[in-house]
Amino acid sequence: MPNFSMGKRERLLGFIERAEDKLAPVNNLLDALLHAGIEPRYSCKAGVCATCRCRVLEGEVVMHGPHVLDAAELAAGYVLSCRSRVLTSKLMLTFD
């Protein structure tokens, strides 16, 4: 199971096992956070409201469409946690 802890200024530091069986049954970053007992902001879980928008400070995720982020937000490192999958074993996010 993913292990997350909250830090200052709503930063989230997460260490995720890369073995697929360790990530089950989560389908995306938002589900991993909820599964770990973290309660980030979210609403639609479909990529259309941007409530779950967060910025990746360390680590890497891949975000699948459709989503409502514009090019400037993507360039700044923002992703929607409901549409993103974690690619690295360490991930630091900020929900600002």
Side-chain angles (χ1 to χ4, degrees):
M1 175 166 80
N3 176 22
F4 295 95
S5 60
M6 293 302 288
K8 291 183 179 179
R9 291 177 290 192
E10 294 188 327
R11 286 191 179 173
L12 180 70
L13 179 62
F15 298 95
I16 298 177
E17 298 280 341
R18 281 301 303 145
E20 287 300 319
D21 59 338
K22 298 281 185 183
L23 289 176
V26 298
N27 296 316
N28 54 52
L29 176 56
L30 177 58
D31 287 343
L33 297 171
L34 294 171
H35 186 71
I38 305 297
E39 297 181 12
R41 297 181 309 258
Y42 73 95
S43 183
C44 73
K45 294 183 83 174
V48 297
C49 73
T51 304
C52 67
R53 185 184 87 152
C54 57
R55 189 166 43 148
V56 177
L57 301 175
E58 184 177 336
E60 189 175 346
V61 302
V62 61
M63 185 172 61
H64 301 286
H67 61 76
V68 297
L69 298 183
D70 62 29
E73 290 171 305
L74 295 172
Y78 285 98
V79 298
L80 299 181
S81 62
C82 72
R83 306 298 298 163
S84 300
R85 289 191 60 87
V86 178
L87 299 177
T88 55
S89 62
K90 184 176 181 182
L91 185 65
M92 184 182 289
L93 306 170
T94 183
F95 289 82
D96 51 3

